[in-house]
Amino acid sequence: MGSREEQSAVNGQQSAQTFAGQAVATRDAYGAALLELGKRNTRVVVLDADLSGSTKTAKFAKAFPDRFFNIGIAEQDMVGTAGGLSLAGKIPFASTFAIFETGRAWEQVRQTVCYSHLNVKLVATHAGITVGEDGASHQALEDIALMRVIPGITVIVPADGYETEQVINAVAETDIPVYVRLGRAKVPAVMPAEYRFRVGKAYTFSLGRDVTIIATGIMVAKALEAQKILAQKGIDAGVINMSTIKPLDTAAVLEAARTSKLIITAEEHSIIGGLGGAVAEVISEQHPLPLRRIGTRDTFGCSGSPDELLKLFGLTADTIVTAATDFFKDRQ
């Protein structure tokens, strides 16, 4: 086989046949992709913090017990051990819930992994408000901000299962620290069959003459739903899937800024420090225009079903529609 990039493309095509067009939880796609990756690449090792049934790394553990390490309820040790395995030439994937991977182990991520530029893949599940009934203590709404601020780390939030399996294959072909954010609940399939993920590249469904919605994760589906509603109201809306939040695809953001009158960001995360903050930094410095950010505010979550919580915290297509219609109403 030729270059690493070519090999990555082949891996993406192999995985593309699994979840294209299917509504699945991104953590389920991760477990399946990790299993297939382990068959092809013996350098891949997996670590977990006693949550492998929930993070879906259990499939890998069963198939490759000599390459799986349950570190126990010790996330700091898990990240430190992953750093050591990377120095031994392995490609470690370290998984636990997002609140623990980015919160409890933040110092190890910064000091051990990123400061030394180690080849560690931090894949966190159960991110965001859709953890649901587990409540505020398990709902990571700050994890993107916590990871984004660390120098040298790449931050990725796939939109569906199809993109997730491509992300897992793609990051395995890199030699950089990566944080991949996944969810617990099933999400709709949104990415087209011809889509091929590339680290650092957004996917533009379309640009809107009036508004472009830049979304990430599960909010991409909400953005596409909002686009249809806005069309019925005579507002031309576009949608961009910004799955790589760091490094941000600034070219895609600026293209949207030059095309549209308004940018709306949408994320299942606090508006402080996440996708909305990243987009605001770009357009305020390079192409100022009105921006509305959809996400949780300066608040913790609470217990409830995923759908109830998405509605309670305004993470819906209707909220995006209201943000756009209010903007254009104010300009009349």
Side-chain angles (χ1 to χ4, degrees), residues 83-134:
L85 287 166
S86 74
L87 290 171
K90 305 299 182 182
I91 305 173
F93 283 73
S95 293
T96 183
F97 290 1
I99 193 70
F100 305 134
E101 185 132 59
T102 63
R104 299 189 70 190
W106 189 87
E107 181 184 353
Q108 284 69 33
V109 174
R110 181 187 186 276
Q111 304 288 72
T112 303
V113 173
C114 294
Y115 185 67
S116 301
H117 307 288
L118 299 184
N119 182 23
V120 174
K121 317 307 176 189
L122 305 162
V123 184
T125 65
H126 294 66
I129 206 79
T130 48
V131 172
E133 290 82 354
D134 285 359

Side-chain angles (χ1 to χ4, degrees), residues 147-232:
M147 293 295 99
R148 219 185 120 225
V149 75
I150 301 177
I153 194 167
T154 292
V155 179
I156 302 172
V157 187
D160 63 9
Y162 180 52
E163 185 171 42
T164 297
E165 55 189 350
Q166 293 196 45
V167 166
I168 297 306
N169 283 286
V171 300
E173 299 295 328
T174 69
D175 294 324
I176 57 175
V178 177
Y179 175 66
V180 181
R181 183 190 209 237
L182 306 177
R184 176 189 198 179
K186 184 182 291 186
V187 294
V190 294
M191 302 310 293
E194 67 274 15
Y195 172 69
R196 295 292 178 266
F197 171 81
R198 293 173 59 194
V199 176
K201 293 295 181 183
Y203 179 79
T204 300
F205 287 92
S206 64
L207 295 172
R209 290 190 305 275
D210 296 316
V211 54
T212 295
I213 308 159
I214 303 177
T216 194
I218 68 168
M219 294 305 290
V220 176
K222 307 295 184 187
L224 292 168
E225 184 181 346
Q227 181 186 40
K228 295 178 182 177
I229 299 172
L230 287 168
Q232 296 169 357

Side-chain angles (χ1 to χ4, degrees), residues 43-105:
R43 290 176 60 206
V44 171
V45 296
V46 175
L47 303 89
D48 206 294
D50 209 29
L51 288 168
S52 60
S54 297
T55 61
K56 304 302 179 183
T57 63
K59 294 179 179 178
F60 186 97
K62 183 177 181 180
F64 309 106
D66 57 333
R67 287 193 274 146
F68 177 81
F69 306 92
N70 182 3
I71 305 298
I73 306 173
E75 288 78 9
Q76 298 96 327
D77 289 343
M78 179 184 71
V79 174
T81 303
L85 287 166
S86 74
L87 290 171
K90 305 299 182 182
I91 305 173
F93 283 73
S95 293
T96 183
F97 290 1
I99 193 70
F100 305 134
E101 185 132 59
T102 63
R104 299 189 70 190

Side-chain angles (χ1 to χ4, degrees), residues 300-329:
F300 291 104
C302 60
S303 181
S305 74
D307 286 342
E308 288 172 340
L309 295 177
L310 289 171
K311 186 175 181 180
L312 178 64
F313 288 93
L315 306 180
T316 65
D318 286 343
T319 305
I320 298 172
V321 170
T322 298
T325 53
D326 284 354
F327 172 82
F328 289 106
K329 188 186 304 176

